[in-house]
Amino acid sequence: MAVAAQPFEKSDEQKAITEMVRQFADEQIIPRAEHYDSADEYPTPIVEQMAELGLFGVTIPEEHGGMGLDLTTYSMIVEELSRGWISISGVVNTHFIGSYLLMKFGTPEQQARLLPQMATGELRAAFSMSEPELGSDVQAIKSTARKLDDGGYEINGQKMWVTNGLTSGIVFVLVKTDTKADPPYKGMTCFICEKEPGASENPGLTVPPKIKKMGYKGVESTELVFDGYRVPADMILGGEEGGLGKGFTQMMDALEVGRVNVAARGVGIAQRALELALRYSQERKTFGKQIAQHQAIQFKLADMATKVEAARLLTLKAARMKDAGERSDLEAGMAKLFASEAGKEVVEDALRIHGGYGYSKEYEIERLYRDAPLLLIGEGTSEIQRMVIGRKLLQRYKI
């Protein structure tokens, strides 16, 4: 059931796509999410259906086999998928960022070879910046790539928190190619590393067992251990001439759209929590009447619905600015901060409305409660977002 009114006017195409994805979530994702969450099992049948629907190629240009849609439409799709189960949106998120990197920075040869396979979902992507010791300090990465006599490169180092790290066929990996660069970010390069999907052992690359997590189950989060992994120079994102030393800038650009994606996920999980709270509050009775008739519950519902609507508006604004070619780093940061915090707060209020049953695995809200905290951490913590927002405000409004 749709609760919040839709902001702005959707195009006919956007209406058709979001309705299709909402139906898919209602019929295929929500009824099966509990099984895959409990088993922490990769939802292969759901992912295969997503590929059939073309959801892996939403933003990929039509000449490469995709739909060629904009970020705004994609954010609407992510909201609907996250409303179903946030882990499903994680399957497409890293893939989307990989395709964005290729479309914006890839060479024509890289685009022609990889994008058609990515559009069908035959080839799925991951991206990797984080490492065990650096957290949000991306410039402190230790993984390196050194040039070999044959013109290729050898990558060594350890990466952490790679969503789709096992099932992906390519990984966009940020490493240092110049360890003496000052500032450090000028010595970073993004490599497109190919691997066998599902294989834990590849030449020069090991994928250890997936990290066990509180929530965000089903989709795997892994480490990547590079030990003598060889990659040709033509797999530097943008080519050796155009991409060497440009990796940090490329990744930060991609994170700008990635933050819109995370914001949309916050909206989706908050929307689902609101729906569950509205339903339960009209079914459950105390003191002779529905708990929805108690003012304390109505106040919670009012605040929850307001947060959902505000988060949706912020997210759409950031997406539409990016689509219009405007600078949207500030707006994307605001959307990510507000929507992720709102997602956590709305889910918690929904759990409170469910009372003791909200703590039971028999009710869907328990899973949402474990999934929501991911948004506060992924692709920049709330604290980092506040730092980014503050700095961007001062830059934009410098006296």
Side-chain angles (χ1 to χ4, degrees):
M1 76 181 168
V3 178
Q6 292 295 343
F8 308 116
E9 184 65 28
K10 287 183 179 179
S11 67
D12 290 341
E13 185 177 38
Q14 288 172 335
K15 288 177 183 177
I17 289 174
T18 53
E19 286 172 6
M20 178 267 289
V21 178
R22 185 181 300 122
Q23 182 179 355
F24 175 66
D26 285 337
E27 296 177 357
Q28 302 298 329
I29 299 177
I30 292 175
R32 303 156 86 179
E34 176 59 31
H35 164 74
Y36 290 111
D37 175 82
S38 297
D40 197 6
E41 177 185 339
Y42 191 76
T44 301
I46 298 176
V47 174
E48 289 176 349
Q49 286 178 286
M50 290 165 60
E52 291 176 7
L53 293 172
L55 296 182
F56 287 101
V58 170
T59 58
I60 294 174
E62 293 181 2
E63 59 263 34
H64 293 299
M67 296 185 189
L69 301 179
D70 56 19
L71 178 61
T72 302
T73 306
Y74 179 73
S75 70
M76 294 175 182
I77 292 172
V78 170
E79 177 187 334
E80 296 297 342
L81 291 174
S82 299
R83 174 184 162 272
W85 183 24
I86 201 171
S87 293
I88 291 296
S89 66
V91 173
V92 296
N93 178 38
T94 56
H95 183 85
F96 159 71
I97 291 178
S99 61
Y100 176 85
L101 285 166
L102 264 180
M103 290 186 294
K104 184 159 185 180
F105 303 108
T107 64
E109 293 76 19
Q110 290 170 348
Q111 293 172 353
R113 185 164 80 85
L114 300 173
L115 285 177
Q117 298 178 71
M118 294 176 70
T120 62
E122 175 188 353
L123 178 66
R124 296 199 293 275
F127 80 104
S128 177
M129 294 189 297
S130 187
E131 295 183 2
E133 297 179 15
L134 64 87
S136 298
D137 185 9
V138 178
Q139 290 196 76
I141 65 172
K142 296 180 179 179
S143 297
T144 60
R146 67 181 184 90
K147 191 163 187 177
L148 304 173
D149 293 339
D150 62 6
Y153 287 80
E154 180 184 277
I155 298 178
N156 292 283
Q158 185 177 3
K159 289 295 182 179
M160 192 73 173
W161 301 114
V162 185
T163 302
N164 294 319
L166 180 64
T167 54
S168 57
I170 55 172
V171 186
F172 293 79
V173 181
L174 185 65
V175 298
K176 284 186 175 178
T177 44
D178 182 359
T179 56
K180 298 180 180 179
D182 185 26
Y185 75 86
K186 291 187 175 181
M188 297 183 183
T189 301
C190 178
F191 285 86
I192 307 170
C193 297
E194 298 182 273
K195 55 186 280 296
E196 183 65 31
S200 58
E201 294 292 338
N202 297 267
L205 171 60
T206 301
V207 185
K210 63 184 179 182
I211 302 164
K212 294 183 178 180
K213 310 182 294 286
M214 174 177 71
Y216 197 44
K217 295 178 180 289
V219 59
E220 82 278 8
S221 302
T222 70
E223 298 175 62
L224 294 179
V225 180
F226 292 89
D227 185 10
Y229 176 87
R230 297 197 170 200
V231 56
D234 62 9
M235 291 304 276
I236 291 175
L237 180 62
E240 191 168 30
E241 185 175 339
L244 191 65
K246 303 292 179 57
F248 182 86
T249 303
Q250 293 167 343
M251 285 286 196
M252 291 303 107
D253 185 291
L255 279 185
E256 189 174 309
V257 295
R259 283 169 180 154
V260 173
N261 179 292
V262 174
R265 293 161 85 177
V267 176
I269 198 170
Q271 175 70 42
R272 183 59 180 167
L274 175 59
E275 292 171 7
L276 294 173
L278 282 166
R279 180 190 302 166
Y280 184 82
S281 65
Q282 295 176 77
E283 295 172 344
R284 173 77 164 141
K285 291 184 177 181
T286 62
F287 305 104
K289 59 183 178 181
Q290 297 174 349
I291 64 172
Q293 300 304 313
H294 295 297
Q295 193 177 60
I297 301 300
Q298 290 181 8
F299 282 4
K300 282 189 183 299
L301 293 171
D303 287 342
M304 292 162 69
T306 302
K307 289 174 182 176
V308 172
E309 189 70 3
R312 182 177 287 118
L313 289 165
L314 279 170
T315 302
L316 286 173
K317 179 184 178 181
R320 292 186 176 192
M321 288 181 68
K322 187 72 174 178
D323 286 332
E326 299 177 35
R327 187 76 181 271
S328 62
D329 49 357
L330 174 60
E331 288 74 16
M334 288 179 171
K336 195 277 182 185
L337 171 64
F338 187 87
S340 60
E341 292 286 349
K344 182 263 296 181
E345 293 164 4
V346 171
V347 167
E348 181 174 349
D349 279 343
L351 181 137
R352 289 170 182 259
I353 288 172
H354 280 73
Y357 288 111
Y359 208 61
S360 167
K361 285 187 175 291
E362 293 183 20
Y363 282 74
E364 186 180 338
I365 192 63
E366 183 271 344
R367 170 172 56 79
L368 270 60
Y369 190 73
R370 288 184 287 104
D371 284 343
L374 165 77
L375 302 173
L376 308 177
I377 302 167
E379 294 191 32
T381 64
S382 290
E383 290 72 25
I384 288 293
Q385 295 307 314
R386 289 186 172 94
M387 289 172 57
V388 170
I389 292 167
R391 289 171 181 170
K392 296 298 180 184
L393 282 170
L394 291 171
Q395 289 175 11
R396 192 174 292 188
Y397 300 103
K398 186 176 182 179
I399 59 174

